[in-house]
Amino acid sequence: MKNRILFLLVEGDDDERFFQNIIKPKLEEKYERVLIRKYAQVQNAKINKLLKSIKEMGADYIYVVDINSALCVTGKKKKIRNKFQNINTDKIIVVIKEIESWYIAGLDSARSKQFKIPVFNNTDGITKEQFNDLIPKRFASRIDFMIEILNCYSTEIARQKNKSFRYFLGKYNCEF
């Protein structure tokens, strides 16, 4: 398996930052190369071509998407499948509810208290807006806050607090 290339298709900068720092190092143990590509600003036709090219080169991919307002994972995957004819629904990972919930999930009680934010036992319902409301005033931006979270991130804690993060780790056999 080590001789293959993996493309991580993520929505935007926040997803890229998370996958670059937390997920990519683990996946690099299994793949020769792991390449992250953002798709939010890319036309659907180009994403479709990229998916076709990935398949033709014998590489692998994971398409990561937030569930947002979709009612269920199956419905979200169906919506994505309707947009991209070259996508395999088994390669789609649906983040519940948004990537910000994966960030908050990695904070233990001590770090949450240090940041003066609530201690969450389950982050499945955390949205971007709720995350933004949690940002301590001492951080100049949400990016600074996200980077600080990544610096003290616990994947073991996150595994306990977020169902879709736990599913991702299990599906891709990411042991930390």
Side-chain angles (χ1 to χ4, degrees):
M1 183 70 90
K2 187 78 171 154
N3 61 353
R4 296 183 64 194
I5 298 172
L6 174 69
F7 287 85
L8 285 170
L9 304 172
V10 300
E11 187 174 353
D13 294 337
D14 297 337
D15 307 79
E16 179 184 43
R17 185 177 309 105
F18 183 86
F19 278 85
Q20 182 71 36
N21 287 284
I22 304 299
I23 303 297
K24 184 179 175 185
K26 288 316 255 178
L27 293 174
E28 285 176 330
E29 294 173 3
K30 300 174 184 180
Y31 291 89
E32 181 181 325
R33 292 178 64 201
V34 177
L35 305 169
I36 299 176
R37 299 288 185 262
K38 294 185 287 185
Y39 61 79
Q41 304 298 322
V42 180
Q43 295 175 345
N44 291 351
K46 287 187 176 181
I47 295 170
N48 238 341
K49 279 185 180 179
L50 175 62
L51 293 167
K52 184 178 178 186
S53 296
I54 291 169
K55 186 176 180 182
E56 289 172 353
M57 71 171 67
D60 202 0
Y61 69 91
I62 302 170
Y63 184 94
V64 181
V65 63
D66 294 338
I67 197 166
N68 294 324
S69 60
L71 298 178
C72 65
V73 170
T74 304
K76 186 66 176 196
K77 285 185 173 187
K78 184 176 180 182
K79 186 177 177 183
I80 299 300
R81 178 74 175 111
N82 289 338
K83 274 171 67 174
F84 307 116
Q85 66 189 37
N86 293 319
I87 201 162
N88 178 339
T89 53
D90 289 338
K91 307 283 185 183
I92 300 171
I93 291 291
V94 179
V95 175
I96 300 172
K97 196 152 199 105
E98 296 176 305
I99 194 67
E100 287 79 1
S101 69
W102 285 19
Y103 276 87
I104 292 296
L107 292 175
D108 62 19
S109 298
R111 293 294 183 169
S112 294
K113 288 175 185 170
Q114 180 185 347
F115 290 140
K116 298 181 180 171
I117 65 173
V119 177
F120 294 94
N121 293 323
N122 181 314
T123 65
D124 292 343
I126 299 287
T127 63
K128 184 184 306 294
E129 292 76 18
Q130 290 170 317
F131 179 89
N132 289 342
D133 289 342
L134 295 172
I135 299 171
K137 292 186 180 357
R138 69 180 166 113
F139 290 98
S141 70
R142 71 190 311 267
I143 294 171
D144 290 346
F145 183 45
M146 288 177 153
I147 291 170
E148 192 62 31
I149 290 173
L150 295 175
N151 287 337
C152 62
Y153 199 83
S154 167
T155 53
E156 221 22 71
I157 297 293
R159 182 191 309 262
Q160 296 167 24
K161 292 183 174 184
N162 190 285
K163 182 172 57 175
S164 61
F165 185 73
R166 183 171 48 252
Y167 174 79
F168 179 89
L169 296 179
K171 181 167 182 163
Y172 292 99
N173 200 19
C174 295
E175 296 299 324
F176 289 89

